[in-house]
Amino acid sequence: MSDLADKILDSVFPRPSPSTRLSIRGRGTTSARSDDTKDKLPHTGTTVLAFKYKNGIMFAADRKTSGGYFSIFSLEAIKIEQIAPRTVVGCAGLVADSQFIKEVLEETNSGFNSRYGFTLSVEGQVNYLVNLCRNFRFYVDPLSMGLEIQAVIGGMDFSGDFEIFEISGEGSFYKKDFTVVGSGTDHAMGVLKENRKNLIGRSLNLRESMLVAVKAIYRAGEADSGTSDIRVATPNIAVITKSGVKFIKTENVKKVVDRVLEKEV
Amino acid sequence: MTKKRMVGTVSKMSGFSYGFFEEFIMKKTEAEQRLARVFTVFIKLVPNSGYFICGGNVPFSQFSNSNFGCIIIGSSLVEINQGEDLIRRVGSRINTMFSEKDFHSTVVMDFLSRYLKANLQNMKIPQALAIEFFITDILGNLLRVHFHGDIEIDSVDSTDKDIFMTGGYDEKFRENLLRELKKAPQTIDKEKMTEFAKGIKSKFRLSHVGFVLP
């Protein structure tokens, strides 16, 4: 009985294991075989933040993609992506790994939804991703630190609860009320912590939340070379509410940027 | 003298030769016989509610989480325990891969259907698992998984049927039971329901009859 049940479970719910794509990526990586890999930190030239507000969750991110410390690849990068009707992921780290996990999560979500008629819970998606990261580290590339990403996943559950999770490439995750990932974390977190009470109490409305988010990105961009300055590239903002995911129009974000610059500069 | 086979594979049982298909039919019929006088019935009440009446010669079992509830009936306690084990297994796998919140009625139904079908069709397993599942979920769906892996899905809101049944494969028993069930209480009144269950128990000479509120 157990063999048959296990066979069926393995075919229906294959454990997130190093797939062919992963193996290729693992073998191709150049950073894995050196001795100093244990001390290696992810290159996370980005600031992505997420916090809960009155009507749901707000995500914000800068727009810069940097190549090493000296070149800028793009100032129009979109770092917040929708992966399910009510779930959003924001990534800092290697662009390739970020795109990879986004694809995997999208596939998993649509597969589960089409087979069972239910969307995956936010915790379910996080668990899946965490398992993938751990398996990657253990089986594909034991010498490296795993996928070079830091991610934030936020969304609304079937039950109507809003949840935010912070995930690291090695496979750890934390449930949070507000969080920042990427190289601009320290500076952006400072702004979020100034508003800690309001964020935990979910008392900010959309306008106030946008002000906090843009200000946090501004502070990060001012001090961190991996984060774009809001004067050069307008940040990306997305909100998750009971009605779904909505990306705020650039014109509207620009108005908030102007207000922040008036106060700060 | 040679006998023409229905399907190529041949094995010998009790001195007679049977084809693969004949063995399969025998296995299925044997399971049906074991489930002949075991049943779960959902009596639909207006508006959009109802209750279960379960009966047989072994006690039935229940499983529930925040997303669905399930009644397991079977021909023996061992088989019912195996059914519970199957549900726990799929629950544990979902928990490891996704989360407890993602353990939905359709997930368990899909797995049970696949398992029971594979179990019946695998001729290396001599006896089919004679268990059936009746699942209700938070969306008001009634899902039935039969011992041969077939599934039936009904929505309490949109169906005209009043009685939904699993088990009871003895035709005569089924006919008499359905006739009796038409007299079932049409309100959720525990005294009346207990009385009715006792009536069925004595009339059909069953050792266990009870009702369950979903």
Side-chain angles (χ1 to χ4, degrees), chain A residues 1-6 8-16 108 112 115-125 127-129 131 157-159 161 163 175, chain B residues 67 81-83 85-86 89-90 93-108 110-111 114-116 118-119 122 125 129 137-139 141:
Chain A
M1 177 193 155
S2 62
D3 285 351
L4 186 59
D6 285 339
I8 293 168
L9 280 174
D10 286 339
S11 72
V12 181
F13 301 114
R15 293 178 191 278
T108 313
F112 193 88
R115 184 176 275 174
Y116 302 118
F118 291 95
T119 48
L120 272 171
S121 64
V122 183
E123 201 183 324
Q125 295 173 56
N127 233 340
Y128 189 85
L129 181 59
N131 281 331
D157 265 352
F158 194 64
S159 55
D161 297 335
E163 287 178 326
K175 194 175 175 179
Chain B
N67 293 331
N81 284 342
Q82 281 185 5
D85 182 49
L86 286 173
R89 255 164 196 267
V90 67
R93 177 61 70 93
I94 278 281
N95 229 343
T96 322
M97 267 188 71
F98 301 113
S99 98
E100 211 178 320
K101 291 176 191 170
D102 300 308
F103 191 21
H104 294 290
S105 54
T106 41
V107 173
V108 72
D110 179 68
F111 170 72
R114 280 167 195 262
Y115 180 83
L116 291 171
N119 186 284
N122 186 349
I125 302 169
L129 200 56
D137 67 14
I138 44 172
L139 300 176
N141 292 322

Side-chain angles (χ1 to χ4, degrees), chain A:
Chain A
M1 177 193 155
S2 62
D3 285 351
L4 186 59
D6 285 339
K7 269 184 198 169
I8 293 168
L9 280 174
D10 286 339
S11 72
V12 181
F13 301 114
R15 293 178 191 278
S17 62
S19 63
T20 321
R21 276 196 291 171
L22 265 173
S23 322
I24 291 165
R25 154 71 177 78
R27 272 185 237 119
T29 186
T30 51
S31 60
R33 304 287 171 240
S34 59
D35 292 336
D36 60 348
T37 44
K38 278 181 186 169
D39 305 323
K40 202 165 158 289
L41 288 169
H43 301 300
T44 56
T46 288
T47 303
V48 180
L49 59 92
F51 57 82
K52 291 181 189 173
Y53 78 107
K54 213 173 194 173
N55 300 330
I57 296 173
M58 178 169 283
F59 270 74
D62 74 299
R63 308 286 295 270
K64 186 191 268 184
T65 308
S66 46
Y69 296 105
F70 299 111
S71 56
I72 296 167
F73 279 173
S74 169
L75 279 172
E76 287 167 358
I78 306 251
K79 298 172 182 178
I80 308 168
E81 304 260 15
Q82 184 178 358
I83 47 169
R86 285 182 181 80
T87 314
V88 160
V89 63
C91 280
L94 272 185
V95 178
D97 287 354
S98 308
Q99 287 171 346
F100 170 71
I101 65 154
K102 189 213 145 201
E103 272 173 34
V104 167
L105 285 173
E106 264 180 352
E107 273 173 28
T108 313
N109 270 311
S110 61
F112 193 88
N113 194 8
S114 61
R115 184 176 275 174
Y116 302 118
F118 291 95
T119 48
L120 272 171
S121 64
V122 183
E123 201 183 324
Q125 295 173 56
V126 169
N127 233 340
Y128 189 85
L129 181 59
V130 163
N131 281 331
L132 183 80
C133 290
R134 287 175 187 162
N135 282 353
F136 183 90
R137 190 154 64 95
F138 290 137
Y139 301 117
V140 178
D141 212 347
L143 290 172
S144 83
M145 61 169 299
L147 292 170
E148 287 192 34
I149 51 151
Q150 283 183 322
V152 189
I153 295 185
M156 195 185 92
D157 265 352
F158 194 64
S159 55
D161 297 335
F162 289 97
E163 287 178 326
I164 299 173
F165 290 90
E166 183 189 321
I167 299 149
S168 74
E170 316 97 87
S172 61
F173 70 103
Y174 308 93
K175 194 175 175 179
K176 301 231 170 158
D177 285 320
F178 59 91
T179 187
V180 188
V181 292
S183 54
T185 298
D186 294 348
H187 309 283
M189 190 53 100
V191 177
L192 295 191
K193 279 191 175 167
E194 280 169 21
N195 295 280
R196 181 202 287 265
K197 258 190 186 172
N198 293 331
L199 297 183
I200 291 174
R202 291 181 63 182
S203 58
L204 298 178
N205 61 25
L206 181 67
R207 218 180 157 77
E208 291 162 344
S209 308
M210 279 171 72
L211 267 172
V212 171
V214 172
K215 195 174 166 186
I217 301 277
Y218 169 72
R219 289 273 175 86
E222 215 180 21
D224 170 41
S225 66
T227 305
S228 62
D229 193 324
I230 59 168
R231 283 168 287 197
V232 183
T234 314
N236 235 203
I237 297 182
V239 287
I240 308 161
T241 57
K242 283 190 176 169
S243 52
V245 178
K246 194 182 157 193
F247 285 84
I248 308 283
K249 284 181 183 169
T250 315
E251 306 97 77
N252 296 339
V253 181
K254 223 165 198 172
K255 284 176 194 166
V256 182
V257 167
D258 293 339
R259 276 189 65 191
V260 170
L261 290 175
E262 265 173 36
K263 283 183 187 172
E264 296 278 326
V265 183

Side-chain angles (χ1 to χ4, degrees), chain B residues 69 98 124 145 195:
Chain B
F98 301 113
K124 286 176 187 166
V145 185
E195 198 69 23

